[in-house]
Amino acid sequence: MALSDLNPVERNEEGIAAVLGILKQRLGERFQTGEAIRGQHAHTTTYIPTQAPDGVAFAETTVEVQEIVRACAEHRVPVIAFGVGSSLEGHTNAPGGGISIDTSRMNRILSVNPQDLDCTVEPGVTREDLNRHLRDTGLFFPIDPGANASLGGMAATRASGTNAVRYGTMRENVLSLTAVMADGETVTTGKRAKKSSAGYDLTRLLVGSEGTLGVITSLTLRLQGIPQAISGGVCPFPSLEAACNTVIATIQMGIPVARIELVNALQMRAMKNYSKLDYPESPCLFVEFHGSDAGVAEQAETFGMIAEENGGGPFLWTSVAEERTKLWKARHDAYWSSLTLRPGAKGLSTDVCVPISRLAECVTETEADIAEMGLVAPIVGHAGDGNFHVLVLMDVDNPQEIALAEKFVARLNMRAIAMEGTCTGEHGIGQGKVGFLRHELGHGVDVMRTIKQALDPLNIMNPGKILPAAG
């Protein structure tokens, strides 16, 4: 779906002018309207054009967020929450202008409860900040989307990542949160109990809402114990199908794999060159196991046997932390390594997720599409939960290449939906995937619209995202 087809957001020039004056007086130097800083708060990592807000408010407390939202509500001005800007589908763009609320200064770790395996943090705390703070407690927060994203942003986009096959996504790891709603009131969605049957599940409603219902101002998160031992390695395969079949067999056998990442041959070529890895240029699985010394060794050996039965191997694994770190650094640098395949090009990163029984079929058909269209587009995937990513390298100044990339993404999204999957496993809808939500959820979109209208009747909370144009 082309950006020109997106739901437009009308600018309210008079209201914006009024709010700019109010916030400048209230926040002083913590309210910025310079062109450069406004552009930084709407930047995207794809071809989606930057649509800058009219001002950036650096909030430091929940009360300040409330004041900003109330001023914007009074004058019908859009509010766009901003963490570190690592989202991929135009989530932080301001198509109707408005105010970006930067939560990076709301970065306090409010409490850690080691006995209960949970903590409460402000939204500007990043996942790396939290794990550094937790190191001496023997605990860690497992959700790892690659980027050092803010935890508020990770909750808002329902982030996932390499550890999701064992530890789940943000959906499973946010116990409760506090958010400022469109009327400026705060809502706390739950307590620290590990489960509750008390009323509607407001936590899950706000997790993944992409700032369209409220601005998250604190989160209570599940924590995990740091494993006694970790083993991992890389296993090459003769084909993507063989690699995917190994993933399916590993999951079906109940092996408690912590990470199982798929890269295709093209991606492996890029990673070898960029990260100086000594592996074949073939499809590979990056695998990691958490547990006891004996447990991770047994799991690695069992996985190696499964891989061998599918024509893969040798599986070279290690429990040496430095060697594992190098492997996962290469995996996390996949985006940057991919850019070396076509110097000067930019990447359109897209993702889908299907039942793992359909993963081999979906990935194979996607590779055929890439070849047929003449694209340069490596593939990586969180194979353990059927989620994979394609990075389409293109000249963003060439309308024909943009149109071809959009055609490819549309075919990929519809293929995943037809396989009883989703058009996005973890990137979210934002602007970039608005056109596919109704194909996936049908009347569910109308239910979402009803919720949006009830909670945000003035449509000020990150308008133009998630919901397609009515009609």
Side-chain angles (χ1 to χ4, degrees):
M1 181 175 185
L3 290 182
S4 59
D5 297 327
L6 295 179
N7 194 6
V9 180
E10 186 176 348
R11 282 184 63 85
N12 175 5
E13 299 290 358
E14 183 177 345
I16 289 170
V19 169
L20 291 179
I22 292 168
L23 296 183
K24 186 63 178 176
Q25 184 176 15
R26 173 67 181 84
L27 298 173
E29 291 303 309
R30 288 191 291 115
F31 184 67
Q32 297 289 323
T33 56
E35 182 178 353
I37 200 163
R38 291 190 296 113
Q40 291 167 5
H41 283 74
H43 76 277
T44 65
T45 50
T46 76
Y47 74 98
I48 298 175
T50 293
Q51 297 168 310
D54 294 282
V56 179
F58 290 87
E60 294 182 349
T61 66
T62 296
V63 170
E64 285 188 345
V65 175
Q66 288 182 284
E67 292 174 348
I68 295 164
V69 171
R70 284 170 179 157
C72 290
E74 181 181 354
H75 296 279
R76 299 197 173 201
V77 171
V79 175
I80 303 96
F82 185 93
V84 298
S86 57
S87 55
L88 295 166
E89 295 289 352
H91 296 86
T92 62
N93 263 346
I99 305 302
S100 173
I101 301 181
D102 186 311
T103 61
S104 61
R105 301 188 187 187
M106 298 177 69
N107 59 0
R108 295 180 299 163
I109 296 172
L110 301 175
S111 66
V112 176
N113 306 291
Q115 291 180 315
D116 295 321
L117 298 177
D118 68 47
C119 67
T120 300
V121 302
E122 290 185 323
V125 176
T126 69
R127 64 175 186 85
E128 290 182 3
D129 289 339
L130 177 57
N131 280 325
R132 276 192 291 269
H133 183 86
L134 293 172
R135 191 171 295 150
D136 293 338
T137 69
L139 304 174
F140 79 114
F141 182 67
I143 309 304
D144 177 7
N148 186 25
S150 68
L151 291 162
M154 288 170 61
T157 55
R158 202 185 297 126
S160 181
T162 58
N163 282 322
V165 64
R166 175 162 181 150
Y167 299 105
T169 72
M170 288 299 285
R171 181 183 65 187
E172 291 78 34
N173 286 279
V174 178
L175 287 172
S176 69
L177 56 84
T178 298
V180 175
M181 308 303 283
D183 59 0
E185 295 297 318
T186 61
V187 60
T188 299
T189 63
K191 303 296 185 180
R192 290 199 299 118
K194 290 297 187 287
K195 62 181 180 178
S196 171
S197 296
Y200 297 144
D201 192 342
L202 297 181
T203 305
R204 302 297 171 271
L205 177 62
L206 288 169
V207 171
S209 62
E210 301 182 12
T212 62
L213 300 178
V215 178
I216 295 170
T217 58
S218 74
L219 309 100
T220 298
L221 305 170
R222 294 181 187 272
L223 302 176
Q224 301 287 337
I226 295 174
Q228 174 192 346
I230 300 174
S231 70
V234 177
C235 187
F237 289 87
S239 67
L240 278 172
E241 183 176 11
C244 291
N245 287 338
T246 299
V247 172
I248 293 169
T250 300
I251 300 300
Q252 289 177 340
M253 284 188 65
I255 298 173
V257 61
R259 299 176 175 180
I260 185 162
E261 298 286 294
L262 172 71
V263 301
N264 74 343
L266 182 61
Q267 181 66 69
M268 200 64 200
R269 180 196 307 168
M271 293 168 71
K272 276 172 56 83
N273 294 337
Y274 185 85
S275 300
K276 311 304 180 188
L277 298 181
D278 186 21
Y279 291 98
E281 287 185 13
S282 66
C284 288
L285 291 176
F286 285 54
V287 189
E288 187 170 275
F289 306 97
H290 296 175
S292 66
D293 289 322
V296 298
E298 180 182 1
Q299 292 156 22
E301 291 170 2
T302 303
F303 172 81
M305 289 188 287
I306 295 171
E308 186 177 0
E309 290 173 0
N310 285 283
F315 175 46
L316 303 176
W317 63 275
T318 179
S319 58
V320 178
E322 292 79 6
E323 295 177 11
R324 289 188 293 99
T325 298
K326 180 181 179 181
L327 292 179
W328 291 107
K329 178 68 163 58
R331 169 61 185 88
H332 285 321
D333 285 344
Y335 176 85
W336 304 109
S337 67
S338 296
L339 296 180
T340 65
L341 296 169
R342 189 180 173 187
K346 291 188 177 180
L348 166 63
S349 181
T350 190
D351 84 309
V352 296
C353 187
V354 295
I356 61 168
S357 62
R358 305 297 297 272
L359 180 62
E361 180 184 3
C362 194
V363 172
T364 301
E365 290 184 14
T366 300
E367 274 205 325
D369 262 3
I370 292 169
E372 178 186 331
M373 295 183 181
L375 298 171
V376 179
I379 295 174
V380 300
H382 310 313
D385 49 21
N387 182 203
F388 69 94
H389 306 254
V390 185
L391 188 72
V392 182
L393 299 171
M394 62 182 182
D395 178 359
V396 296
D397 295 320
N398 185 328
Q400 291 180 324
E401 291 201 18
I402 290 177
L404 187 62
E406 288 182 338
K407 179 181 178 182
F408 166 77
V409 170
R411 288 175 63 168
L412 174 60
N413 290 340
M414 295 305 291
R415 176 181 301 117
I417 292 169
M419 292 182 177
E420 298 182 274
T422 174
C423 66
T424 176
E426 58 186 19
H427 288 184
I429 296 295
Q431 291 176 306
K433 298 210 174 189
V434 164
F436 302 97
L437 194 60
R438 188 171 292 278
H439 290 289
E440 183 171 327
L441 298 178
H443 180 57
V445 172
D446 302 311
V447 176
M448 291 182 186
R449 195 186 308 282
T450 300
I451 294 170
K452 168 73 168 172
Q453 289 171 344
L455 297 180
D456 181 19
L458 301 179
N459 192 30
I460 65 168
M461 305 303 285
N462 208 10
K465 315 298 167 59
I466 298 184
L467 297 173

